[in-house]
Amino acid sequence: EAQVTQNPRYLITVTGKKLTVTCSQNMNHEYMSWYRQDPGLGLRQIYYSMNVEVTDKGDVPEGYKVSRKEKRNFPLILESPSPNQTSLYFCATSPPGANVLTFGAGSRLTVL
Amino acid sequence: GDSVTQMEGPVTLSEEAFLTINCTYTATGYPSLFWYVQYPGEGLQLLLKATKADDKGSNKGFEATYRKETTSFHLEKGSVQVSDSAVYFCALRGQAGTALIFGKGTTLSVSS
């Protein structure tokens, strides 16, 4: 079954404590992306990756890092989380040249 | 830049009522247009899409027509069910773009 798996699904942490949200896909897709969802703002893209070792900033990259060392994984790193990064995060993937994204189930992060 | 505007919610309907959720867009050229649906506690799923003017996307009784002249892609369903309760997102992908650009989402609540 085609899947995008995110972990953790829920996390409460404190300001400044580094954390990583993992994302893994089993579809062998080259394109992967991270979005955050906030009430009244919809989904906004944080970072995306067109292929291994190729990453680019989206609309709201500040405070985040990503890496793409292998095709299936695209972790989102918060080096020093702050309360304004409290949000619902989604990882997504699509095959090359395709318009349709497959999303993970989401990771709800709370930063106190 | 490209943008999507969709009607504010929440939309509250009784079962079997007619549904319209308005979506308009701003983009250069010929974007691809999408409706995604997010059921409670889940990630987004593609509901339907249209890739060129006058195309009609349809799925699960939902329809939307790509109207270039009015830059619109309104979502309609003739008879909603309780199980249609969800958040609906209109989105576009520009001709040269890599990111999906989302509207802010419209919450639909259907009661029996």
Side-chain angles (χ1 to χ4, degrees):
Chain A
E1 180 190 350
Q3 277 189 335
V4 180
T5 303
Q6 297 181 222
N7 281 295
R9 293 289 314 279
Y10 302 92
L11 179 64
I12 300 174
T13 189
V14 296
T15 299
K17 185 176 181 181
K18 181 179 178 180
L19 67 93
T20 299
V21 185
T22 63
C23 174
S24 180
Q25 50 99 357
N26 64 358
M27 291 167 273
N28 203 36
H29 288 171
E30 292 170 348
Y31 180 85
M32 297 185 76
S33 179
W34 277 102
Y35 288 85
R36 61 178 287 175
Q37 182 182 7
D38 301 290
L41 296 176
L43 278 84
R44 295 176 293 169
Q45 191 182 49
I46 304 170
Y47 269 94
Y48 65 95
S49 171
M50 299 294 287
N51 211 331
V52 175
E53 302 293 358
V54 180
T55 63
D56 238 323
K57 295 177 181 179
D59 297 321
V60 288
E62 295 77 20
Y64 304 94
K65 287 173 57 176
V66 292
S67 69
R68 189 86 183 276
K69 292 185 170 57
E70 48 190 340
K71 187 182 279 190
R72 66 182 291 121
N73 295 323
F74 190 44
L76 179 69
I77 303 156
L78 285 74
E79 294 270 3
S80 182
S82 62
N84 64 12
Q85 293 178 296
T86 293
S87 188
L88 179 58
Y89 291 87
F90 288 100
C91 180
T93 183
S94 73
N99 283 314
V100 177
L101 288 172
T102 301
F103 283 82
S107 296
R108 184 168 292 283
L109 171 66
T110 301
V111 183
L112 302 176
Chain B
D2 296 349
S3 66
V4 174
T5 302
Q6 61 182 104
M7 63 187 286
E8 302 261 340
V11 174
T12 304
L13 296 173
S14 299
E15 209 164 24
E16 300 182 5
F18 184 85
L19 168 71
T20 300
I21 301 178
N22 291 338
C23 172
T24 57
Y25 68 89
T26 301
T28 54
Y30 297 89
S32 295
L33 301 174
F34 308 85
W35 279 100
Y36 279 80
V37 59
Q38 183 181 28
Y39 298 105
E42 298 183 13
L44 280 74
Q45 305 171 23
L46 178 69
L47 181 59
L48 53 85
K49 68 175 182 178
T51 57
K52 61 181 188 295
D54 300 324
D55 266 2
K56 178 186 283 189
S58 61
N59 186 26
K60 299 181 181 180
F62 291 89
E63 293 183 339
T65 301
Y66 188 144
R67 300 284 188 205
K68 182 73 174 169
E69 63 276 15
T70 55
T71 61
S72 65
F73 193 54
H74 304 322
L75 182 68
E76 297 182 336
K77 186 174 186 182
S79 176
V80 294
Q81 305 300 311
V82 172
S83 57
D84 293 327
S85 299
V87 182
Y88 292 82
F89 291 91
C90 185
L92 73 81
R93 197 169 206 173
Q95 277 186 284
T98 54
L100 269 184
I101 296 168
F102 288 88
K104 294 182 178 180
T106 302
T107 299
L108 171 65
S109 179
V110 181
S111 57
S112 58

